[in-house]
Every structure is written in structure tokens, then in C-alpha cells.
Amino acid sequence: RDPEMSRGLGDVYKRQKDIRDALTSPLRIGKIKVDNKGRKSLELTGEKARVQINPDDGSLITVWKTSEKLKHRLKGEGK
């Protein structure tokens, strides 16, 4: 098993379409959060990927796979 996949990051190059979908057509846009070092982040949840970006410059911070349960809940499918 690929250790990167087990962390939920996957291969970013293979997930470009999923990342782009989360950025352009998010199912949910989170609130801007600021950590204890003053760094801002914004989470956007798409059908297949959840991305965290820096809202000031748009840089990608991290990517996770969207769980099926969360996807269905956000789409109002009640699964």
C-alpha cells in the first residue's frame, strides 16, 4: 500500500481534476481560519477532494479525499 495514499493525499498529479472541481465548484466553503502563528487557511470541499488554500495568495496548502459520507451529506442525499 502506498504510504501517501494511506494519508489520503493521493497523487496530486492524478487528482488535478478533483482539485480543480473543489476550487471551482465547491459543495461547501469553510470559514477562514487563522492558526496561532497568524497563518490563514480556507477549506473548500468538492465531490472528490477537500482542499485547503491560503486565501491571501491562493496557494494550495493540502488536499484530502472527500469521504463518501460527507459528499452525500453535503449533496443532501442523506446517506
Side-chain angles (χ1 to χ4, degrees):
R1 185 170 198 191
D2 180 39
E4 190 174 36
M5 285 296 282
S6 67
R7 288 195 312 264
L9 298 175
D11 183 350
V12 173
Y13 296 108
K14 290 181 182 176
R15 297 199 176 271
Q16 283 182 3
K17 181 180 175 188
D18 300 338
I19 293 168
R20 191 173 17 254
D21 176 65
L23 294 171
T24 59
S25 302
L27 298 175
R28 176 175 64 188
I29 300 172
K31 295 180 181 179
I32 294 175
K33 295 181 181 179
V34 182
D35 71 7
N36 59 358
K37 294 183 179 181
R39 298 175 295 194
K40 295 180 185 177
S41 66
L42 174 66
E43 186 174 315
L44 303 164
T45 305
E47 283 197 41
K48 295 185 179 183
R50 292 170 42 213
V51 299
Q52 203 172 53
I53 62 168
N54 178 323
D56 293 332
D57 63 14
S59 61
L60 187 64
I61 297 170
T62 192
V63 179
W64 302 279
K65 180 181 178 194
T66 302
S67 70
E68 287 294 313
K69 184 177 178 179
L70 177 59
K71 177 178 78 170
H72 291 299
R73 189 172 75 227
L74 293 175
K75 292 178 81 175
E77 295 174 354
K79 287 189 177 182

